[in-house]
Amino acid sequence: MKKGKRQADWSELEKREAAIKPRSKFFSHLSVSLLTLVLTIGLHQADFDSLKGLLIDGLFRTQLDSHPHPAIKLVAYDTQSAARYQINYKIPTEELLKTITRIKDEQPLAVALIAPLNEKLYSEQELSELAHAFSQVPMYVGYTDSENMGKNAPRALFHSTHYLPGYVSRDTFSYGADSVSRRVMLTIDGLPTVYLKLAELFHHSNHQELSYPKNRIEKFGESTQSYINWQGRAGSYPMLSTLEVSEGHFPKDYFKNKIVLISSTLPSKKDADFIFTPFSREPFHTPLLEGSAHSLATLINQNGIYKSSFWADFFLSLILGLITMNLLLYLSPARSIQFLIVEILFLTVLSGIALWKYQYWVDVAHPLALLAIGYYLIIPYRLVDEYKKRWHYQEKSEFMAELEQLKTNFFSLISHDLKTPLARIQGNAELALSHSSTDKDEKQKKSLEAIIHTTDELSHYVETVLDLTRIESSKVQLNKTSKDINTVVKEVLKSKITLAKEKDIQIQTHLEPLFSFNFDVKLIQQVIANLVENAIKYSPRGSTITINTKEVNSLVEVSIRDEGPGIPLEEHENIFSKFYRMKNDATQREKGTGLGLYLVKYFVELHNGFISLKSQVGKGSDFTITLPV
Ligand code: ADP
């Protein structure tokens, strides 16, 4: 019943092992590629705007040098200027008039006021004074007050000014809704912005047409916009205050043929005159005026950032994902991490180059997300296989251990049960032998002697197996008594003398006088008997066996030297293994179990001693056991 169950278990294990054979490479690659495709499609359903915004801002920030456009000059109504008028909420008319008059004398290409300019802020009188001054220069007003959107210029300014929207976009809804200004507006509600008009003017002055590349323009609601090509952080454009300009503190021809942008840089409650940029999200850090300069420069240079299309991004993710995931199937987890780090660095550097050299905004947010998620999926995918295998081996080894235990028990039972009948056979044979004394019993005598000899061998074998089972179930216990080991050697030799005589072998002894010490007499007797038996068994007829005993540094040594075939060096370790027998003609002829030396070594080590072997092939072997006193 039990046996049947075992067999079923075993075949079950075999079946399972066959099932865990590594998946076919083709299947693994196919499933990983399909997984990558599904992941790519899934991930591209999300925008990852925040991550995209962070990444592109990071790339802008890595830019070391700045390139302010030489044709753009900035003038700010700043705290220094405001100190004179004590007016914060608008640029005072007087200051504007003075500033514009100074700039007019320098013959600028255009003057643009980037500020709210309406009847709510300025009286009719002020507006008509301004209108007069504006008519002296190519004047533009880029209004920034949102409630004014799409309205006409105040009546007084109607004829003297290009009155246009001057907003810089803020990402309030896209890219993480972080209010960062990333785009310049070209048109709003079909109306050109002041930046587009100024850029066109710049090109006209050089007898060229502005043909802003269509693929760099995106539609956002009712506006068309282009991504600003930031050419430096805050402060990259030199800026004069209106105070300096109105008092004439600037180099001659500073504004000649330039586009002059005027705006307020006073921290006001609404902070409308400040923006967040990829470089800084600190309030009141970067004036709108700087954003206007970068926006205008982008349009003049016609190099707004070109954002790659959905499909370009999709295929980049897919290709990178396919390469990476299929490679991860082969790499170790540590190598995978290294590979991913290198890949991410490579991707970042490449997208940096694309941005700075070619104004190309590659979406790395999706590929990065794909690589991260892919990595966390593929490593467990691989581990599952390995865990399955490990679990199976564990199960198998538990099964083997159980089997081993069963075998030991079985041996133990059989050997015990064999001992009694064997002893009875031997006893009866000996009895019969002692009764047969006449000549006609000669044949019978020989048979009885053969029976006794064979049962002797069998008993010896049974004893050996019993010893083994005792060892394996850890039942061997030392029963130490004090004795002179020379006595043990002599007793063993006495019992082996007939065996030696049969082969005409001489046994010489050199036994140094020794003190008695504690050891398990029965076991050590067995050890010495085994070594002597082997020496006799494997030695040629007429050879000599030498037995030495001595004490060196509280260690007793017993060595048994023979003139047998010897043991090659590569077998020195093996011969002490369980059931190991050397495969050469000289020793294989002899009967044996391959257990003798295993037991010898075990018993000696149980005494905290050791066994060593010196041997020369063709000359003989010298086994020495060393026991602590
Ligand atoms: P067994 O003698 O029953 O085969 P042992 O464990 O006693 O088993 O010995 C293991 C093997 O070591 C033997 O089969 C034999 O090949 C080799 N051996 C042991 N003693 C000697 C010896 N004195 N000379 C040469 N070979 C030996």
Side-chain angles (χ1 to χ4, degrees), residues 488-556:
V488 179
V489 172
K490 282 178 205 153
E491 281 166 11
V492 169
L493 289 184
K494 222 165 153 192
S495 66
K496 301 295 169 198
I497 203 82
T498 355
L499 205 62
K501 268 197 184 142
E502 276 173 17
K503 280 182 86 174
D504 218 1
I505 287 174
Q506 259 205 12
I507 301 183
Q508 287 182 359
T509 51
H510 302 283
L511 310 179
E512 228 179 54
L514 297 169
F515 287 116
S516 297
F517 69 100
N518 278 330
F519 57 93
D520 188 312
V521 178
K522 211 175 148 241
L523 290 188
I524 294 301
Q525 203 165 26
Q526 212 175 315
V527 165
I528 297 170
N530 231 313
L531 291 174
V532 173
E533 252 171 53
N534 272 356
I536 298 172
K537 193 157 75 170
Y538 298 116
S539 289
R541 286 195 148 271
S543 60
T544 308
I545 292 171
T546 317
I547 300 179
N548 284 299
T549 59
K550 61 176 172 187
E551 187 183 330
V552 192
N553 302 329
S554 307
L555 295 170
V556 163

Side-chain angles (χ1 to χ4, degrees), residues 530 534-535 537-538 562 564-567 575 577 580-582 584 587 591-598 621 623:
N530 231 313
N534 272 356
K537 193 157 75 170
Y538 298 116
D562 64 50
I567 299 160
I575 55 166
S577 308
Y580 188 85
R581 305 207 66 215
M582 243 159 48
N584 65 23
T587 64
K591 278 189 211 150
T593 56
L595 276 173
L597 287 179
Y598 172 75
S621 314
F623 286 89

Side-chain angles (χ1 to χ4, degrees), residues 299-314:
L299 294 189
I300 288 178
N301 293 332
Q302 307 181 80
N303 66 355
I305 305 301
Y306 173 64
K307 203 160 149 291
S308 53
S309 72
F310 173 87
W311 287 110
D313 294 347
F314 180 86

